[in-house]
Amino acid sequence: MENFLLKLRLIFWPFVRLVLLVASGYAVLWAGLVWGLGATLGVQLRTGIGTQFFLLGTVGGIATLVGLRPRLHLLPDGPRGGWRSLFYYLATITIGVAAGTAAAAAAAQASLLQLVMLRDASEVPRHPANTAYVLQHAYLARRHTTFEDEYGSIKGGSRLTIYAATPVFRTAADTAGGAALGWLADAFITTSNTRDYSNTDFTRFRQETTVAARVSGPESFTYLVTAEPSPGLLAAVARSPWAVRSATRPILLEARYRPFAQRSDDALHALRLALLWGGGLFLGFLLFPKVNERRLQHYRGTGRFATDDEYVNQALAWLRPRPGFFATPLLLGLHGAALLVLVVAGLGFFEVETADLLAWGASSGPGVRGGQWWRLLVSPLLTDGILSWLNSAWALVFAGRALEPVVGRRGLVGVYAAAALAGGLASVWGQPASLAVGASGAVMGLFGLGIALAIPARAGGAAFRLEVFATLAGLFVFVHLLLGLATERLNVAVLMGGLLAGGLLSRCFKGRASRPPQP
């Protein structure tokens, strides 16, 4: 019991305070950001629960490692890291899950909604994005509701999402053929344990949804908010005979069916459950390991927790600039900051839509040939999803550790930038219909540089490191080119352009590969 009470006081309660601090701080900052942008600029951040989970999980994980790492040293070491490594992992994940649902942020954001009375839906664009609406005149043509099915695969089955778009009019007479002011959006989701999209469950769900979407009227909801312009919803709107064929986006409204005063109750309830689950799990695991007596004596004698942790220090060494490895962490940080901007802006985490990439500066043949040369500079900083970013980040660190001691920080940055530009130009002329996004061309340039330097360096001081790197780099290049040719998901022109640029630029570093690596 004494062992457990000691861990409860020294580890568990600080962990709970850290969770509450990070979750509440994140909620206040995020809600303030949403409110500030909406109130001042009318900008709406399109971020779903997955995006906020990633952001808060990342922030929580860093806070856990920084805030609890010395205290977790009180737990004993074991085989392959033992309980200490387990608690690093468990604390990081728990704090992400406990508050990672972003329920606190959603509740704070919902509490900032301002309920305003409008004459009709045409006045919605005049107000900030963090506003809820009550329309004095809202007539729905439920008989003209249009539907769009959207199928997706899940583990062990499939999901069907049905988007319903109902035109909203100013007067009852307009429903016979007048201009629609906007659309009332509804989304109905169901899952099945089969991948057969024509099965009986989906058929029944489609029929029930059609009836439900055409029954309720304006008297059934309490207020409206702006809806996310998802592809399925936009497709349902486009199918409506009242769809406005213009460059402006349609006004999409989503109904809320509970009192305005209770708008944050669901989010707060989810937060309480998440905190209970995360805190209970962490408390349960504290029952098992005993306290490290040596570190406990150190704490009682000095009043301070031990802070040495070679495992974490070695991990951070891959990200910390130092002599011989200075430019690579900075380039990695630049790409990480760009990814964070895309995620916060709501473009997506696992996958980014092509239209959003083009709007943010992705390189394409028609755009660059039309005079938008700036796309060649912006495009390498963009990414089409976290998996592509992780692939490029790993390759960058791998290449930088091998090449920066040989060519220097300026040489590495120069080759990286030149290869990124060459990859973009190769895509413009080689695959003009494909987007050039991400750092794949720049990374291929580093690989091409390493392969070219390794060929004449067999007798040099850096020969062994370069030969090992060149062997693995050659395998990486071969696999990616093969995937690009086989699946057409990779822009082969970008890869080849960057690879050739790096190989040609190796002549600028002739003789450096024979020198011993810099410390």
Side-chain angles (χ1 to χ4, degrees):
M1 178 59 72
E2 181 182 359
N3 178 65
F4 175 70
L5 293 177
L6 185 65
K7 290 183 291 186
L8 192 69
R9 179 171 60 88
L10 296 180
I11 300 178
F12 179 75
W13 290 120
F15 170 78
V16 172
R17 290 196 299 269
L18 186 61
V19 170
L20 294 175
L21 177 64
V22 173
S24 59
Y26 174 85
V28 172
L29 290 175
W30 181 257
L33 178 64
V34 172
W35 183 87
L37 291 177
T40 58
L41 303 177
V43 177
Q44 182 179 12
L45 293 181
R46 298 187 289 114
T47 55
I49 198 70
T51 298
Q52 295 194 32
F53 182 94
F54 164 73
L55 291 175
L56 189 50
T58 302
V59 173
I62 294 174
T64 301
L65 288 177
V66 173
L68 292 183
R69 181 161 57 99
R71 296 177 181 272
L72 295 180
H73 279 250
L74 291 179
L75 302 176
D77 296 332
R80 289 180 290 182
W83 285 106
R84 189 174 64 179
S85 298
L86 173 63
F87 269 84
Y88 284 143
Y89 176 80
L90 182 64
T92 302
I93 298 302
T94 303
I95 196 173
V97 173
T101 58
Q109 182 177 340
S111 67
L112 294 175
L113 285 178
Q114 303 173 12
L115 188 63
V116 298
M117 179 75 72
L118 304 180
R119 288 186 306 162
D120 50 59
S122 64
E123 297 184 356
V124 170
R126 303 178 189 175
H127 294 266
N130 61 316
T131 303
Y133 315 104
V134 175
L135 306 182
Q136 293 180 354
H137 305 287
Y139 294 89
L140 307 180
R142 286 291 190 184
R143 64 184 182 277
H144 296 296
T145 299
T146 54
F147 300 90
E148 179 70 20
D149 294 355
E150 190 174 272
Y151 297 98
S153 298
I154 60 175
K155 185 177 181 180
S158 53
R159 174 184 289 115
L160 171 62
T161 304
I162 298 180
Y163 292 95
T166 304
V168 181
F169 299 92
R170 179 180 286 110
T171 65
D174 290 338
T175 60
L181 301 179
W183 277 263
L184 185 66
D186 289 296
F188 305 88
I189 304 175
T190 188
T191 58
S192 176
N193 57 2
T194 176
R195 297 189 183 278
D196 179 13
Y197 296 118
S198 61
N199 67 74
T200 305
D201 293 338
F202 282 168
T203 302
R204 185 185 305 110
F205 174 73
R206 191 179 290 103
Q207 294 173 347
E208 294 173 352
T209 296
T210 303
V211 174
R214 288 176 173 166
V215 169
S216 60
E219 69 281 353
S220 62
F221 50 81
T222 54
Y223 65 96
L224 301 168
V225 295
T226 53
E228 294 291 340
S230 61
L233 180 56
L234 293 176
V237 170
R239 295 178 58 182
S240 172
W242 282 273
V244 179
R245 309 296 182 180
S246 65
T248 59
R249 284 189 171 183
I251 299 174
L252 304 176
L253 300 172
E254 187 176 351
R256 294 289 184 265
Y257 298 95
R258 62 188 310 169
F260 182 73
Q262 300 177 11
R263 58 195 179 278
S264 59
D265 285 1
D266 289 342
L268 290 175
H269 180 63
L271 176 63
R272 287 191 293 267
L273 291 179
L275 290 175
L276 287 175
W277 182 88
L281 180 64
F282 196 87
L283 178 61
F285 271 93
L286 273 181
L287 292 171
F288 297 101
K290 293 185 177 297
V291 175
N292 188 314
E293 294 294 338
R294 181 176 59 85
R295 294 188 179 274
L296 180 60
Q297 292 176 4
H298 177 274
Y299 168 72
R300 287 174 172 171
T302 63
R304 301 175 59 185
F305 295 98
T307 58
D308 57 306
D309 192 335
E310 293 301 324
Y311 177 79
V312 175
N313 291 335
Q314 290 175 5
L316 294 178
W318 288 76
L319 307 175
R320 186 185 302 118
R322 62 182 186 275
F325 189 65
F326 187 84
T328 303
L330 296 182
L331 288 174
L332 184 63
L334 178 62
H335 285 285
L339 173 66
L340 187 61
V341 169
L342 296 181
V343 172
V344 171
L347 271 69
F349 177 60
F350 292 101
E351 186 175 1
V352 182
E353 297 291 337
T354 301
D356 290 332
L357 289 174
L358 282 172
W360 279 69
S363 177
S364 64
V368 175
R369 290 180 178 180
Q372 299 176 344
W373 294 95
W374 54 270
R375 291 182 176 272
L376 295 174
L377 304 178
V378 176
S379 185
L381 297 176
L382 302 177
T383 181
D384 58 359
I386 184 61
L387 296 181
S388 298
W389 186 89
L390 289 174
N391 183 61
S392 297
W394 168 85
L396 171 60
V397 173
F398 174 61
R401 285 180 64 86
L403 294 176
E404 189 171 346
V406 178
V407 301
R409 64 184 68 167
R410 294 180 181 178
L412 185 84
V413 173
V415 173
Y416 193 81
L421 183 61
L425 291 173
S427 176
V428 169
W429 274 274
Q431 288 182 245
S434 301
L435 292 184
V437 177
S440 56
V443 169
M444 280 293 183
L446 297 182
F447 284 177
L449 173 66
I451 294 173
L453 289 178
I455 295 175
R458 293 183 179 276
F464 179 74
R465 172 180 292 183
L466 283 177
E467 286 185 3
V468 172
F469 168 73
T471 301
L472 297 177
L475 179 62
F476 183 90
V477 170
F478 173 77
V479 170
H480 276 67
L481 291 177
L482 187 63
L483 288 175
L485 294 173
T487 65
E488 298 183 356
R489 290 181 60 87
L490 296 178
N491 193 321
V492 178
V494 172
L495 304 180
M496 291 300 300
L499 184 67
L500 293 176
L504 293 175
L505 289 174
S506 66
R507 298 180 64 86
C508 300
F509 306 98
K510 186 178 181 180
R512 291 200 184 187
S514 61
R515 304 174 188 172
Q518 301 174 7

